[in-house]
Amino acid sequence: MSRSVPVVPTCTSLLLALALTACGGGGGVHGSPGGSGAGDPYFPRAGNGGYDVTHYDLDLAYEPDTDHLTGTATISARATRDLSAFDLDLKGLDVGGVTVDGKGARWNRAGQELTVCPHDVLDEGETFRVTVRYSGTPGTITDPDGSEEGWLRTADGALALGEPTGSMAWFPGNHHPSDKASYEVKVTVPKGLRAVSNGELVSERSTGGRTAFTWRTAEPMASHVATVAVGDYDIRRSTTADGLPVYVAVDPALAGAGRTVQARIPEVMEWAADTFGPYPFSSTGAIVERDGDAGYALETQNRPVFPGVPDTELLVHELAHQWYGNSVTPKTWRDMWLNEGFATYAEWLWQEEHGGDSAQETFDALYDHGDRTDEDLWSFPPAKPPSAAHISGTPVYQRGAMVLHKIRQTVGDTAFRALLRGWAAAHRHGNADTADFTAYVEKQAPGKDFDAVWADWLYGDGKPAPAQD
């Protein structure tokens, strides 16, 4: 639904006209509107152009009984060109007012775009703060593959999940993985409930029958792995052997099993740090919801979300994402295999080193089997999903892991372990795409021939021919 609510006179013209009229103050306008999308090949309207967000400060209040959310988002950003207007992604919810650097700003709604016209043109390189007041019933977004994200109601509260575009259902922002930022999230809920988010809990204060929880994430975070979970959680705090804080929130119905999750995390984290390199964040943990509260597990930063108690392999998968996906984040959604292929191969390595099948046995079983899943596996190459509906398809996960195994076969075990650690270090807290990865591999293994790996396994259509001895 498109709506425009005037607090100051609204932007009623198209973006080009905005740049030439009231947005910039008349004939002296030297700026232009920022783009209404980041140019993603699968989600062209996701994200925005013309600025880079550095920090989100979210002040939220949620009433589970009425499913009503009230929020104030203060977004710190830097203009990457002269801006007469810029867009934020926000789906649904009612906007009550917008300011830029404390001055009232004109704004307009069109679908998921909130177009903001600052009082003064923002110069390239200028830092600015935009504050948006909003409220309403946050919605659920159905992805092209049919899964649900956004703001999900639970039996005792709500769960916010964002991959790939769901975060725009509960706060305005530049919702594309290429723009990462630090966060402070304050969530006020009825006393007796808890609000869990990313990073570290820095305050918990109760007054007048309500409790405010403030969470801080200092390391850069893409908005699709931001989360808020509201409910009656059993909270377990501990530390790993090297002092890393562990914060686990478990639905009380699963509290007994939650102890098992808490006990497994230090072992998995120690193994992962030894395999992938130093952990890139300041805390770890998990949010364990009931079966059915979400249709999938998700690698939300610092503490992954699980629908029910995860087995060890799933815990390994989501914690591996903290390196591959959360710290090293794809530049676009086309590069999803850099998340899922790595996390899936982490499962293979864990099994290999803990009494299960070797990675080679797992690879061979996938290559050789002939059931219907086999058709899914070879339906498209991992680096070229045919559409947005396929970015979480079987080839992205399993064939992506097979690419990594072919690299391992090419360079040998010792060099491959160095590649895993080196890739995580080279792009720590940054973004990378498939071309970055292939260039990195070739640079680290000079003299090795990867042409067949890239052509047949990474980009090639159909099932590659068996290797010749």
Side-chain angles (χ1 to χ4, degrees):
M1 180 174 63
S2 175
R3 77 173 55 178
S4 179
V5 182
V7 177
V8 293
T10 59
C11 301
T12 58
S13 54
L14 297 175
L15 286 178
L16 182 58
L18 290 174
L20 299 175
T21 57
C23 278
V29 172
H30 63 274
S32 61
S36 59
D40 192 273
Y42 299 133
F43 297 93
R45 296 179 65 197
N48 304 283
Y51 64 94
D52 175 64
V53 176
T54 57
H55 182 72
Y56 289 94
D57 191 327
L58 306 179
D59 188 348
L60 310 175
Y62 181 60
E63 289 288 348
D65 288 346
T66 58
D67 194 24
H68 187 81
L69 179 71
T70 302
T72 299
T74 301
I75 303 166
S76 301
R78 180 181 61 84
T80 57
R81 63 176 186 251
D82 294 343
L83 285 176
S84 59
F86 59 90
D87 282 28
L88 298 168
D89 300 311
L90 181 65
K91 188 173 180 66
L93 301 170
D94 300 318
V95 174
V98 181
T99 63
V100 178
D101 290 334
K103 297 179 181 179
R106 298 176 178 182
W107 53 272
N108 184 62
R109 300 294 299 276
Q112 71 183 53
E113 300 298 326
L114 169 60
T115 301
V116 178
C117 310
H119 184 274
D120 303 304
V121 170
L122 300 168
D123 294 330
E124 180 179 358
E126 182 179 353
T127 58
F128 64 95
R129 291 175 126 194
V130 54
T131 299
V132 181
R133 294 184 294 105
Y134 60 99
S135 62
T137 300
T140 298
I141 295 173
T142 301
D143 290 340
D145 66 2
S147 59
E148 292 186 336
E149 58 183 85
W151 195 265
L152 309 177
R153 294 296 305 274
T154 63
D156 54 359
L159 174 64
L161 299 178
E163 187 177 301
T165 63
S167 294
M168 64 181 174
W170 58 283
F171 70 97
N174 197 20
H175 292 308
H176 189 264
S178 60
D179 193 0
K180 299 163 71 170
S182 59
Y183 282 71
E184 182 158 302
V185 180
K186 177 182 176 182
V187 188
T188 303
V189 295
K191 192 172 182 179
L193 297 181
R194 303 195 70 87
V196 182
S197 189
N198 311 88
E200 287 73 59
L201 181 64
V202 295
S203 72
E204 177 182 337
R205 297 175 181 170
S206 295
T207 181
R210 300 177 64 76
T211 305
F213 299 84
T214 302
W215 294 83
R216 184 172 298 150
T217 305
E219 299 89 358
M221 180 168 69
S223 66
H224 71 272
V225 289
T227 190
V228 165
V230 175
D232 180 18
Y233 295 109
D234 179 58
I235 303 299
R236 299 188 171 275
R237 296 179 176 89
S238 58
T239 58
T240 62
D242 59 358
L244 185 72
V246 179
Y247 187 101
V248 178
V250 184
D251 188 284
L254 306 171
R259 287 190 290 271
T260 302
V261 175
Q262 182 188 27
R264 287 175 182 164
I265 287 175
E267 178 188 6
V268 173
M269 290 295 296
E270 181 179 3
W271 172 84
D274 183 62
T275 305
F276 310 134
Y279 182 62
F281 302 114
S282 302
S283 65
T284 187
I287 300 170
V288 184
E289 297 280 359
R290 303 182 200 185
D291 291 334
D293 283 349
Y296 48 87
L298 189 64
E299 63 270 20
T300 42
Q301 194 157 301
N302 301 95
R303 50 193 51 84
V305 170
F306 299 98
V309 179
D311 60 23
T312 302
E313 283 71 26
L314 182 56
L315 187 63
V316 168
H317 183 106
E318 302 304 339
L319 289 176
H321 272 310
Q322 306 305 308
W323 284 261
Y324 309 111
N326 294 6
S327 178
V328 184
T329 303
K331 288 181 180 177
T332 77
W333 290 109
R334 176 180 287 147
D335 305 300
M336 185 74 151
W337 84 274
L338 290 172
N339 294 10
E340 301 303 347
F342 274 82
T344 300
Y345 201 74
E347 294 182 63
W348 295 15
L349 291 174
W350 174 272
Q351 292 166 357
E352 180 176 82
E353 297 177 22
H354 293 82
D357 290 344
S358 68
Q360 185 65 54
E361 289 171 328
T362 303
F363 178 97
D364 291 342
L366 281 169
Y367 187 86
D368 293 337
H369 71 61
D371 60 15
R372 183 176 61 82
T373 305
D374 188 62
E375 298 175 5
D376 295 337
L377 181 62
W378 310 115
S379 59
F380 62 87
K384 295 195 302 182
S387 72
H390 295 87
I391 64 170
S392 295
T394 299
V396 172
Y397 287 70
Q398 301 294 348
R399 191 168 167 184
M402 296 175 90
V403 170
L404 295 178
H405 192 70
K406 295 301 291 186
I407 295 170
R408 179 181 175 183
Q409 289 178 327
T410 302
V411 303
D413 287 356
T414 300
F416 179 71
R417 294 303 180 113
L419 281 172
L420 288 178
R421 295 172 65 91
W423 175 247
H427 294 279
R428 182 181 173 96
H429 298 314
N431 294 85
D433 61 17
T434 301
D436 294 324
F437 177 70
T438 56
Y440 176 82
V441 171
E442 291 174 357
K443 182 178 179 180
Q444 298 304 310
K448 298 293 185 179
D449 184 1
F450 295 98
D451 289 350
V453 177
W454 308 148
D456 297 341
W457 292 90
L458 185 58
Y459 289 109
D461 294 320
K463 185 174 182 177
Q468 300 296 317
D469 295 330

